[in-house]
Amino acid sequence: MEDHAVWTVEESRAHDKTAQEMGVNLLSLMETAGARAAYYLLPELKGPGLIIAGKGHNGGDALVMARHVARYRDVQLLLPLGVPKFPGAEELLKVLQNYGAKIVAQDHMERAWNQVSWIVDGLFGTGFHGTVEDGFITQLWKRLSQTENVVYALDILSGIDANSGSYMLEPVYAHKTLTFGAAKWGHFGYPGSRFSGQLVILDIGLPDLGPSSGQWIDPSWAKAHIPPRDFYAHKYRRGRVAVIGGSASMPGAPVLAGLAALKTGAGLVELFVPSGIVHRVQAPTPLLVRGVGEGGNLVLRGEDIEALKRADVVIIGPGLGTGVSPALLETVITLGKPLVIDADALALLKEIAAGPLPEGTVLTPHSGEMARLLGITSDAVDAFRYQSVKQAVDRYRVCVVLKGPYSLVASERIFVNTANTPALATAGSGDVLSGVIAALLAGRYPKDVTEMTAFATYLHGWAGIHAERDQGPSVIATDIIAALGQAWNSIVCEEHPPMLPEHF
Ligand SMILES: NC(=O)C1=CN([C@@H]2O[C@H](COP(=O)(O)OP(=O)(O)OC[C@H]3O[C@@H](n4cnc5c(N)ncnc54)[C@H](OP(=O)(O)O)[C@@H]3O)[C@@H](O)[C@H]2O)[C@@H](O)CC1
Ligand SMILES: Nc1ncnc2c1ncn2[C@@H]1O[C@H](COP(=O)(O)OP(=O)(O)O)[C@@H](O)[C@H]1O
Ligand SMILES: [K+]
């Protein structure tokens, strides 16, 4: 059984259906889900509480949970959509009342609210779709958004679309989400991830259906994917990275990418920047710097191309600026080297004829760059991150990283980066990521590009976490580079990043 899977709604239903075909009846699936949620939560449920149950199976889980919790706590049950519709629901309701749980009438909701200290949301789960028209539910969610009580969500906070993370109701911040079988894409999408709180994955004995659409990165997975080191390597064997970028207004970006690549373990890094800015990037660093073209124009000459051919991986984009001809990218593609296409080079990609990109290439767009690649708005990318990254993989047939909190690293399967901190939201942080990815891909060991890139995003995330531990809110991109050493250590020690999903 895959331990760290992420499922679509369809995958979740397939597990449910197969379990039933194998002879586990629906009521016993709900029994396991509701009981596991109850006994996980009981130690932290202080005083009386309110459980909200909907009319589908998420409501069924809530009814089971209510019965188990009622043995130890005062439980009130709210049924905003009436009695659940599945066979056996009436009996579940009777039994939980026998155990002492009380059903609250809708017009007594306010009184019940004032008597409780925790609330469990079992209104909608993976079956939620569309918008909410029901006036009472809208009012209930408004009330919930203002509550100071602790809110727990069963499977997924009601109103979050489990395939995307888009959300339709008033903002409600769950303290924890107890999800069944595996995480869902909606837990990592936007704004779903904001409202889910700590994600707890409860094993409810569903069958193993093989590899899923993706997985979240777990510390043990990361440790197992630390690239091996050759004790006898010399700098030319550790991997050679070229960075093409820089412009009068952004001379620092290729330097950040280059330093990050060196610090991640590339043996040698050479920057290819417009001749006119060479003097501005020759800081006292171990980077080689080559001026290319005339003044501010970045045009590759024959000798530059020969130099580029010596690289194992070429990063193109950091600080490139907008006035560059798409022919530059076309030329670099003809080298056939694995590329990390970042920042302004992603805009060039949209303009060139769509031929196949070199094997081993990685695209690293943030939402805005992804929006331009796909010809949609960045709001649409944010609302459908899982779908957007899949679309980009289908179009370009290479590994694509959709950056942002819970970055998605995708090819056929999708990895979710679990090492996150807002400290990474600082100018140049993306340049650092492109350097980290390129250095890991340039290392000469057997590798899967998507797995290595997923590892790179996790390492970069950990560097951000350490930079924040050292610098508090004053992290800048060079602090992230400086913290890469500590980041490796955290991975070796299988340290847990903040808000890592828990598994029970
Ligand atoms: N995966 C597994 O193996 C297991 C899964 N389990 C649990 O099952 C859950 C999925 O159950 P589910 O399919 O019954 O859907 P659920 O989320 O309860 O809601 C459906 C109801 O909501 C309604 N509804 C929807 N949108 C609406 C709207 N906008 N406004 C108003 N109403 C709306 C919808 O109405 P309809 O669309 O049919 O008119 C229907 O009545 C899953 O999250 C997990 O908790 C466990 O029990 C055990 C194993
Ligand atoms: N709130 C956040 N949580 C986690 N990671 C973040 C957050 N904000 C930004 N990041 C990460 O920081 C990097 C920012 O990249 P990018 O936007 O390209 O920055 P820049 O263009 O300034 O270099 C990405 O790796 C992104 O995933
Ligand atoms: K729910």
Side-chain angles (χ1 to χ4, degrees), residues 329 345-353 371-375 395-396:
L329 181 60
L346 289 163
L348 301 181
L349 187 59
K350 188 81 205 304
E351 291 178 37
I352 63 174
R372 280 192 292 279
L373 278 179
L374 299 181
R395 183 169 303 178
Y396 293 103

Side-chain angles (χ1 to χ4, degrees), residues 7 12-13 15-17 26 29-30 33 55-61 81 85 122-134 137 154-156 180 184 204 206:
W7 289 346
S12 182
R13 287 195 185 130
H15 282 82
D16 196 337
K17 184 165 168 274
L26 177 62
L29 280 175
M30 285 188 277
K55 58 183 183 168
H57 302 149
N58 195 247
D61 302 338
L81 296 168
K85 294 280 179 275
L123 184 59
F124 304 124
T126 52
F128 178 77
H129 55 85
T131 51
V132 174
E133 308 299 339
D134 184 294
I137 291 179
L154 291 184
D155 210 22
I156 190 160
F180 305 118
K184 317 295 179 305
I204 57 165
L206 294 168

Side-chain angles (χ1 to χ4, degrees), residues 134-455:
D134 184 294
F136 181 71
I137 291 179
T138 314
Q139 191 197 337
L140 177 65
W141 241 247
K142 197 167 184 139
R143 187 72 183 75
L144 205 55
S145 71
Q146 295 156 353
T147 186
E148 290 185 359
N149 293 332
V150 190
V151 176
Y152 298 98
L154 291 184
D155 210 22
I156 190 160
L157 182 75
S158 300
I160 298 179
D161 177 273
N163 270 345
S164 66
S166 61
Y167 182 71
M168 297 296 160
L169 292 159
E170 291 280 328
V172 169
Y173 293 87
H175 176 59
K176 287 186 176 175
T177 293
L178 311 183
T179 197
F180 305 118
K184 317 295 179 305
W185 290 105
H187 294 131
F188 300 112
Y190 302 164
S193 53
R194 272 181 195 265
F195 300 136
S196 298
Q198 173 68 50
L199 188 61
V200 180
I201 298 153
L202 299 176
D203 187 346
I204 57 165
L206 294 168
D208 185 357
L209 299 186
S212 58
S213 50
Q215 70 178 78
W216 49 274
I217 299 178
D218 175 75
S220 61
W221 180 93
K223 183 171 183 176
H225 287 79
I226 293 176
R229 282 198 359 180
D230 177 0
F231 193 73
Y232 295 96
H234 51 69
K235 68 181 176 216
Y236 298 106
R237 281 245 299 271
R238 288 191 74 194
R240 210 170 156 134
V241 172
V243 187
I244 304 175
S247 56
S249 59
M250 288 179 285
V255 181
L256 290 171
L259 285 177
L262 269 188
K263 189 89 175 156
T264 305
L268 209 78
V269 178
E270 189 167 15
L271 309 186
F272 292 69
V273 302
S275 304
I277 66 161
V278 168
H279 62 288
R280 294 175 61 201
V281 302
Q282 273 178 337
T285 65
L287 299 169
L288 302 176
V289 183
R290 173 181 280 263
V292 172
E294 295 290 319
N297 287 333
L298 212 158
V299 180
L300 299 170
R301 300 156 298 191
E303 68 212 68
D304 304 321
I305 292 175
E306 286 312 306
L308 276 173
K309 283 185 184 162
R310 292 196 286 272
D312 297 298
V313 174
V314 178
I315 303 174
I316 176 162
L320 198 57
T322 48
V324 179
S325 158
L328 175 71
L329 181 60
E330 281 172 331
T331 307
V332 173
I333 288 172
T334 59
L335 296 172
K337 302 270 175 193
L339 306 177
V340 177
I341 306 183
D342 187 28
D344 299 318
L346 289 163
L348 301 181
L349 187 59
K350 188 81 205 304
E351 291 178 37
I352 63 174
L357 291 168
E359 203 183 326
T361 291
V362 179
L363 313 184
T364 57
H366 55 52
S367 306
E369 288 155 349
M370 181 64 103
R372 280 192 292 279
L373 278 179
L374 299 181
I376 56 178
T377 62
S378 56
D379 283 349
V381 172
D382 281 345
F384 297 98
R385 281 171 65 80
Y386 167 74
Q387 293 77 0
S388 300
V389 81
K390 273 175 82 71
Q391 205 181 326
V393 170
D394 283 348
R395 183 169 303 178
Y396 293 103
R397 307 254 155 229
V398 291
C399 173
V400 181
V401 184
L402 177 53
K403 295 187 291 192
Y406 299 103
S407 288
L408 301 179
V409 180
S411 56
E412 267 166 31
R413 295 194 78 219
I414 304 183
F415 290 83
V416 180
N417 179 27
T418 45
N420 291 287
T421 163
L424 288 167
T426 180
S429 162
D431 305 323
V432 174
L433 178 68
S434 66
V436 175
I437 295 172
L440 289 173
L441 296 182
R444 297 189 180 170
Y445 36 79
K447 63 201 160 225
D448 173 301
V449 170
T450 311
E451 288 187 351
M452 248 320 115
T453 306
F455 180 91

